[in-house]
Amino acid sequence: MPLRHWGQRNGSDAVIEKLDVGHLRTWIGGEEVAEEQLTPALVQRFQATFDLAGLPPQPGDIAPRLIHFCLCQPAAPTGALGEDGHPARGGFLPPVPLPRRMWAGSDIRFSGDLRVGDLVRRRSRVADVVVKQGRSGLLCFVTVDHHIDSAGTMRVEDRQTIVYRAADTAGAPAAPVEDVAPTGVVAETVDPTPTLLFRYSALTFNGHRIHYDHPHVTESEGYPGLIVHGPLQATLLLQFATRQRDGIPPDRFIFRGQSPLFDGTPFVLHAGAAEADTMQLWTARSAGPIALIADASWQSGAG
C-alpha cells in the first residue's frame, strides 16, 4: 500500500491562470526565522496531552519527537486573524485567494533530538507553489522547508506541504466512495474528544476554528464535526511506531492526509507488517477510508 497523495488530475490552464500563479510563485525563496526556548512547561503539557508516562521533564532531557510542531509558531494579533481563525493571507506565505487552508503532509528527517531547555531556531523557506485541478476543485500546494536547529546543530528537517482549496458549494457532486481501510497487524483505538483537539490547538497556537468551534465547522464549513488535526494524527502514529520498536523513534517520518476524521467517532491507529527498517502506518475510523497515511523508517540496524 504505497504512500498516496490526495487525488488530483490536470485541469484547465484557464482556470489555473485566474489565480495568477506567476505572482504567487514570486514568494518562492522567501525566508522567515524564529526562535523559542523549549521549556520544561511546554514538554510537560505535551506529555499530558498525549498521556506520555515519565517523570517531570528536566533541563537536558530528550524532548518528544514532533514537539517541534509546537515551537516557533506565528503569533499574529487577534485582530489580524481571518474569519476561520487563521492569520490573514500574505506575509511569509503567498496570499493564495482560496478560503480553505490545511496541512496536507510532511517529510521529516531527524538528525538528532531536541532537549529540554534548548533555544530552538527554525529557518523556514518557501520552496514551491503549484496549482492543480483536483477532484474537489482547484488546489494550490505551497511547499515550505523548515530547518530546526539548537546550539547551531541541525536537529530536524521538515518539508511541509500546505493545501489551499475553494469552499464547498451547494449542489457540488459528491466525492467518490473511498475504499475501506485495511486492518493493520497491530491496531490501537483513539477517542478524539473535543478536549484533546482543543489541547493540541493550544499547544501549537493554532486558531483554526475547524478544530474547536463546533457551530463554525458544522454551520459555516459544512463538516459533521470538529476535524482532527493532521499533525495530531501524525504524532500519535509516530509514538505508535516507536512503541512497536521498543522505544526507538524513527529517523524519517513521512505523512500525508487522505480524508478527514471528526470528533465523536473513535478512530484506529494501524501499523503494517514491520520490515527490517521500515513500517507503514495509517489512521482510519471503523469501516472508513484511510485518513492519514505514514511511512516510518530507521537507519539500518536501529531497533
Side-chain angles (χ1 to χ4, degrees):
M1 187 175 57
L3 185 66
R4 299 186 298 154
H5 198 288
W6 280 353
Q8 294 148 19
R9 57 177 180 270
N10 291 331
S12 164
D13 290 341
V15 173
I16 290 175
E17 285 173 1
K18 291 181 180 179
L19 280 184
D20 195 353
V21 183
H23 175 63
L24 296 177
R25 287 182 60 83
T26 64
W27 263 256
I28 294 174
E31 293 192 350
E32 178 180 71
V33 178
E35 291 184 339
E36 182 175 349
Q37 187 174 24
L38 179 49
T39 65
L42 174 62
V43 177
Q44 189 168 30
R45 290 192 291 267
F46 186 94
Q47 291 173 332
T49 299
F50 289 100
D51 289 319
L52 300 178
L55 297 173
Q58 299 297 320
D61 289 350
I62 293 175
R65 290 197 172 175
L66 297 189
I67 200 171
H68 74 272
F69 292 161
C70 308
L71 293 166
C72 304
Q73 296 303 314
T78 299
L81 301 179
E83 174 63 22
D84 64 357
H86 268 314
R89 290 168 178 78
F92 169 63
L93 292 174
V96 179
L98 294 172
R100 299 279 176 85
R101 176 171 65 186
M102 300 186 78
W103 191 326
S106 277
D107 181 347
I108 305 169
R109 297 173 185 269
F110 300 95
S111 53
D113 287 297
L114 297 172
R115 291 183 177 269
V116 179
D118 281 355
L119 179 63
V120 176
R121 183 173 186 266
R122 186 181 78 174
R123 179 181 293 276
S124 304
R125 179 182 181 275
V126 178
D128 202 5
V129 179
V130 176
V131 177
K132 297 182 179 181
Q133 184 72 22
R135 69 187 182 198
S136 61
L138 199 62
L139 303 171
C140 181
F141 294 90
V142 177
T143 302
V144 181
D145 287 335
H146 299 292
H147 290 179
I148 294 97
D149 67 65
S150 63
T153 300
M154 183 72 66
R155 304 297 184 189
V156 186
E157 296 172 85
D158 182 350
R159 168 160 280 201
Q160 177 190 4
T161 302
I162 304 164
V163 61
Y164 299 76
R165 66 180 181 85
D168 295 330
T169 57
V177 177
E178 298 279 359
D179 294 335
V180 174
T183 300
V185 174
V186 184
E188 186 176 295
T189 300
V190 175
D191 183 8
T193 64
T195 303
L196 173 62
L197 305 190
F198 176 82
R199 278 185 150 196
Y200 192 73
S201 287
L203 276 175
T204 56
F205 203 63
N206 181 355
H208 199 181
R209 293 170 66 184
I210 63 173
H211 302 303
Y212 63 85
D213 187 337
H214 194 271
H216 172 81
V217 76
T218 56
E219 297 169 14
S220 298
E221 303 224 16
Y223 292 107
L226 300 175
I227 295 176
V228 182
H229 314 65
L232 170 59
Q233 295 177 58
T235 301
L236 289 166
L237 284 177
L238 183 141
Q239 293 170 356
F240 187 48
T242 300
R243 291 194 293 275
Q244 310 315 309
R245 297 294 291 258
D246 298 323
I248 299 176
D251 301 297
R252 187 176 184 186
F253 193 73
I254 306 171
F255 70 87
R256 188 165 298 280
Q258 303 286 288
S259 63
L261 293 174
F262 305 99
D263 78 308
T265 303
F267 65 88
V268 180
L269 309 174
H270 296 273
E275 300 184 16
D277 301 311
T278 63
M279 182 185 299
Q280 189 161 76
L281 307 109
W282 60 98
T283 59
R285 67 182 186 276
S286 178
I290 291 174
L292 186 138
I293 191 168
D295 284 328
S297 58
W298 289 258
Q299 293 178 359
S300 180

